[in-house]
Amino acid sequence: MQHVQQQIQTQELQADLADGYIDIVQPLPGQPSVIALRIGGQLRVLFNPSPQTHGAVQEAFAFGNQVVGIWEAGSPHILRSIHIRRI
């Protein structure tokens, strides 16, 4: 257990602004719902976001607000969370 805790504590979180997104609200059968943010020319994905997250990301891009993706350095293509900065 201690080894697992040490691994979790050493994961470095990174964040950056998204300049585009893909929102798969109705995926193919058996596939998860996905929001993919384009950050630094790479797609980073959040699996199974809530309906509120889908709406917030769509609204943020529609109204010019900032969308920030957060991920672990060890898994740069998988988002841990999405934050919206209203400007």
Side-chain angles (χ1 to χ4, degrees), residues 16-23 34-46 53 57-58 60-61 66-71 76-77 79 81-84:
D16 207 349
L17 292 175
D19 61 6
Y21 76 104
I22 298 170
D23 190 356
V34 173
I35 292 177
L37 299 181
R38 187 177 63 208
I39 301 173
Q42 296 182 15
L43 288 179
R44 302 176 195 276
V45 297
L46 179 67
T53 302
V57 169
Q58 291 172 4
F61 276 99
Q66 295 178 334
V67 178
V68 178
I70 299 172
W71 64 93
H77 298 290
L79 291 171
S81 69
I82 296 175
H83 294 258
I84 308 296

Side-chain angles (χ1 to χ4, degrees), residues 7-24:
Q7 277 187 314
I8 292 171
Q9 291 173 353
T10 60
Q11 288 293 328
E12 179 183 343
L13 294 179
Q14 298 180 334
D16 207 349
L17 292 175
D19 61 6
Y21 76 104
I22 298 170
D23 190 356
I24 302 173

Side-chain angles (χ1 to χ4, degrees), residues 24-35 45-49 54:
I24 302 173
V25 181
Q26 290 192 325
L28 295 171
Q31 298 298 312
S33 173
V34 173
I35 292 177
V45 297
L46 179 67
F47 293 101
N48 297 314
H54 284 285

